[in-house]
Amino acid sequence: MSTQNEQALLDSIPTGLFIGGEWIEGETGATFDVKDPSTNQVIRTIADATPADGIRALDVAVAAQDEWAATAPRVRGEILRRAFDLVQERKEDLALLMTLEMGKPLAEARGEVAYGGEFLRWFSEEAVRISGRYGLNPEGTGHMIVSQRPVGPSFFVTPWNFPFAMATRKIAPALAAGCTVVIKPPALTPLTTIFFTTLLEEAGLPKGVVNVVQTSKSSALSAPIIADPRLRKLSFTGSTEVGRKLIAQAAEGVLRVSMELGGNAPFVVFDDADLDKAVEGALAAKFRNIGQACTAANRFIVHKDVAGEFAKRVTERVNGMKIGRGTEDGVAIGPLIDEDAVAKAGELVDDAVERGATLLAGGKALEGTGTFYEPTVLTDVVPGSAILREEIFGPVLAIATFETEDEAVRLANDTEYGLVSYVFTENLQRGQRMIDALETGMMGLNVGVVSNAAAPFGGVKQSGVGREGGFEGIHEYLSTKYTLIPVS
């Protein structure tokens, strides 16, 4: 990929806020820089929204709400479908842009474009399937009508690690349901959302239906929007720590909330597992997105009889991974998002080794330009290690062992989180028992990637509330209304 092509793409990205269908400067004219984590160089300088800009965006979304809600479902769906088609036409630009601002390998960025685009296609079809019911009540005294209405103006806070898919996963169902949107993309990776918004414009989205207010001061901008009584929905993807604060703020206005929060995913390998499948699943579940995913496998819980062979095979593959800028051919491991992420990975690895874990591969940051950390394998990780409690968010695979099925379940469930789990076993009955026993909102049985636009994404415990995607996803943006008509 030539630097000339990169620069041409970057130069085409609007630098303003998108409010009321116009790209405008912020209230104060302030800006902030977006950097390429592989080089630490500034790639674009864009408008920095103030709280007043956020409220202005909400004003516009509120003003557009009634007309958008009254827009025919078929029309809403066709706009989403046109947006999907435009994403396919510009998929290489979207992928490159994500690689430049986030660092993931280009092949993975292309995968995110495919995944994120499917939310547009899926919810374009769901827009025309919003339905209710009609029937006689049990007493025979009246007819019951149950109907669905758009929740109303919605505020989205999206994360930096999947800047395209997390935007489409929220925007698509909201638009399909008839809700208007204010979205605050992440300060670290805002350009993808900005570019996607230009495609929504091109697809014919009416002015004011989607508004984009990027900022370097997230909490300052978000708080007054959440506190505004006209807002009816808040959706956030990010850490549990921040999610708790946003839920508390949303409680004041009794807002509908969707929270996709932290994860601490167990990856359980039984002694009857197909190790070839387990190794492939481990590499996908751990190193996809450089380990920077809430769905990333965090704790590898492997039966003691196969742990040695599993660790050996995984280590061989990890040692062959190419590290570098995501635009380079064959790169499997790009940079972490910033220096803090590198420092956290190093601290977790050092703590595990000090407590008795064995380092089989990697284990250190790379010197030089960019925020790179070696893909790492640890084995014999002991209970109490921080790496078993905290979300790693980096390319570190940590292996602990177990002996019995009950012990595996206990270890897997020994966390405040419950987003996703992975289980590898060739025993059908055992697999069914794991579906019932593991306390997670999602599970991969003999597979290392579970996300799909047609499936409900979300967790239990402190991994969040609500679901995104699937038939369930659009209902997060609908309120149910019951009407009784007496029998005459």
Side-chain angles (χ1 to χ4, degrees):
M1 190 69 61
S2 73
T3 55
Q4 186 176 6
N5 289 342
E6 292 177 13
Q7 194 57 52
L9 174 60
L10 291 167
D11 289 344
S12 73
I13 305 301
T15 59
L17 311 174
F18 189 65
I19 299 177
E22 305 292 336
W23 294 99
I24 61 174
E25 285 190 358
E27 176 193 40
T28 65
T31 60
F32 67 96
D33 294 333
V34 181
K35 295 183 178 181
D36 178 345
S38 70
T39 64
N40 287 328
Q41 293 181 347
V42 174
I43 56 175
R44 197 73 167 148
T45 299
I46 59 177
D48 194 350
T50 66
D53 292 320
I55 292 300
R56 181 161 45 152
L58 180 61
D59 291 342
V60 170
V62 170
Q65 175 59 50
D66 287 348
E67 185 173 352
W68 182 243
T71 299
R74 178 69 72 193
V75 173
R76 299 199 301 259
E78 287 176 349
I79 290 172
L80 287 171
R81 179 61 198 224
R82 284 197 294 273
F84 168 80
D85 291 337
L86 288 168
V87 165
Q88 306 318 302
E89 291 176 18
R90 303 296 299 275
K91 61 185 177 183
E92 287 301 312
D93 287 337
L94 274 164
L96 176 57
L97 187 58
M98 270 191 284
T99 294
L100 294 178
E101 67 172 345
M102 185 266 161
K104 69 183 71 186
L106 194 53
E108 290 194 22
R110 291 184 179 115
E112 182 177 341
V113 174
Y115 170 53
E118 284 302 314
F119 288 104
L120 300 169
R121 177 154 62 174
W122 174 265
F123 286 110
S124 74
E125 296 162 348
E126 288 301 290
V128 298
R129 293 183 174 86
I130 298 170
S131 61
R133 57 190 171 93
Y134 172 87
L136 190 66
N137 66 11
E139 298 77 17
T141 58
H143 294 283
M144 301 182 298
I145 299 174
V146 179
S147 56
Q148 303 291 332
R149 297 289 186 274
V151 168
S154 303
F155 180 48
F156 300 152
V157 180
T158 54
W160 52 263
N161 55 339
F162 290 95
F164 179 63
M166 297 305 96
T168 60
R169 200 162 78 182
K170 297 180 190 301
I171 290 174
L175 298 189
C179 299
T180 58
V181 169
V182 176
I183 184 169
K184 188 207 74 62
L188 291 168
T189 59
L191 304 182
T192 302
T193 301
I194 291 172
F195 182 45
F196 170 56
T197 304
T198 68
L199 301 185
L200 287 175
E201 274 191 285
E202 193 175 340
L205 189 70
K207 295 183 183 220
V209 175
V210 170
N211 305 275
V212 183
V213 282
Q214 66 274 3
T215 181
S216 63
K217 301 175 181 64
S218 180
S219 59
L221 180 133
S222 297
I225 295 176
I226 295 170
D228 194 298
R230 299 172 298 171
L231 186 72
R232 297 315 316 143
K233 167 78 182 186
L234 168 65
S235 181
F236 169 74
T237 297
S239 72
T240 296
E241 179 184 8
V242 174
R244 288 192 196 104
K245 295 176 182 177
L246 294 178
I247 290 171
Q249 293 175 32
E252 189 68 25
V254 196
L255 296 181
R256 285 275 292 274
V257 298
S258 298
M259 294 279 153
E260 195 266 284
L261 306 178
N264 190 8
F267 189 103
V268 183
V269 182
F270 285 96
D271 54 349
D272 63 354
D274 181 325
L275 284 189
D276 288 336
K277 290 181 185 176
V279 169
E280 292 301 325
L283 296 173
K286 175 72 268 182
F287 296 104
R288 174 173 172 254
N289 216 49
I290 325 163
Q292 299 175 123
C294 56
T295 54
N298 209 61
R299 298 166 294 141
F300 286 78
I301 302 167
V302 185
H303 193 278
K304 67 179 184 61
D305 289 348
V306 296
E309 182 63 20
F310 176 80
K312 176 185 174 184
R313 295 192 195 185
V314 165
T315 302
E316 288 173 354
R317 297 286 295 277
V318 167
N319 282 333
M321 288 180 173
K322 181 179 177 181
I323 307 170
R325 192 169 190 251
T327 54
E328 299 170 11
D329 290 340
V331 165
I333 302 294
L336 295 184
I337 191 64
D338 57 21
E339 293 288 354
D340 289 343
V342 173
K344 179 181 179 182
E347 289 167 4
L348 292 174
V349 169
D350 291 346
D351 173 77
V353 171
E354 288 172 7
R355 292 173 183 268
T358 301
L359 185 64
L360 298 182
K364 65 180 186 298
L366 296 188
E367 296 181 359
T369 304
T371 47
F372 293 91
Y373 194 89
E374 292 179 325
T376 298
V377 180
L378 295 164
T379 192
D380 303 319
V381 178
V382 301
S385 298
I387 206 166
L388 298 179
R389 300 190 310 271
E390 299 181 24
E391 193 170 18
I392 299 170
F393 244 62
V396 180
L397 192 157
I399 301 171
T401 60
F402 72 93
E403 294 188 23
T404 68
E405 183 176 311
D406 287 344
E407 183 185 8
V409 170
R410 178 181 60 78
L411 291 172
N413 287 339
D414 185 21
T415 175
E416 63 188 1
Y417 300 104
L419 185 61
V420 64
S421 55
Y422 305 93
V423 174
F424 282 76
T425 177
E426 293 298 293
N427 184 309
L428 180 61
Q429 288 74 31
R430 173 177 280 154
Q432 183 62 56
R433 290 195 298 272
M434 293 302 102
I435 293 173
D436 294 335
L438 296 188
E439 298 169 349
T440 56
M442 302 176 288
M443 177 173 154
L445 184 57
N446 294 321
V447 67
V449 177
V450 300
S451 301
N452 190 285
F457 188 106
V460 298
K461 299 197 285 190
Q462 295 200 34
S463 285
V465 293
R467 293 295 182 268
E468 295 183 308
F471 301 113
E472 297 81 357
I474 199 168
H475 291 287
E476 298 287 338
Y477 297 93
L478 295 169
S479 60
T480 300
K481 186 171 188 177
Y482 153 63
T483 302
L484 179 67
I485 304 175
V487 172
S488 56

